[in-house]
């Protein structure tokens, strides 16, 4: 595998993880149902949004390198 293929695959992975957490965030807002062993919806929203920000930052850094 070539270096550019690894970089492209990693970037796709980061974008996929970001999309995953955005979807979770939107689903929590749209259908705020009970989460097993976790009823603090604000904390759940914050956690998902923090993960989106984390992957945003990784994408930004990846693009700079």
């Amino acid at each position: 595998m070539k270096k550019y293929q690894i970089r492209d695959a990693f970037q796709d992975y980061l974008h996929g993880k970001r999309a995953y957490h955005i979807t979770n965030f939107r689903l929590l807002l749209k259908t705020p149902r009970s989460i097993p062993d976790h009823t603090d919806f604000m904390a759940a929203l914050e956690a998902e949004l923090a993960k989106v920000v984390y992957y945003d930052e990784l994408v930004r850094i990846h693009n700079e390198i």
Side-chain angles (χ1 to χ4, degrees):
M1 194 172 237
K2 305 266 189 226
K3 181 179 176 180
Y4 75 89
Q5 292 172 314
I6 295 170
R7 284 185 55 89
D8 290 349
F10 186 64
Q11 186 164 2
D12 290 346
Y13 168 80
L14 294 175
H15 284 287
K17 291 295 282 188
R18 181 183 180 277
Y20 170 87
H21 291 293
I22 288 172
T23 299
N24 282 345
F25 182 85
R26 289 178 178 161
L27 284 172
L28 282 170
L29 286 176
K30 185 176 180 180
T31 56
R33 296 186 183 158
S34 177
I35 303 169
D37 300 323
H38 192 322
T39 57
D40 188 349
F41 288 104
M42 298 304 274
L45 286 171
E46 183 179 0
E48 287 301 325
L49 196 55
K51 292 172 188 173
V52 171
V53 171
Y54 171 76
Y55 284 103
D56 277 345
E57 186 66 11
L58 288 180
V59 167
R60 185 188 66 78
I61 292 168
H62 179 263
N63 289 333
E64 289 179 2
I65 296 175

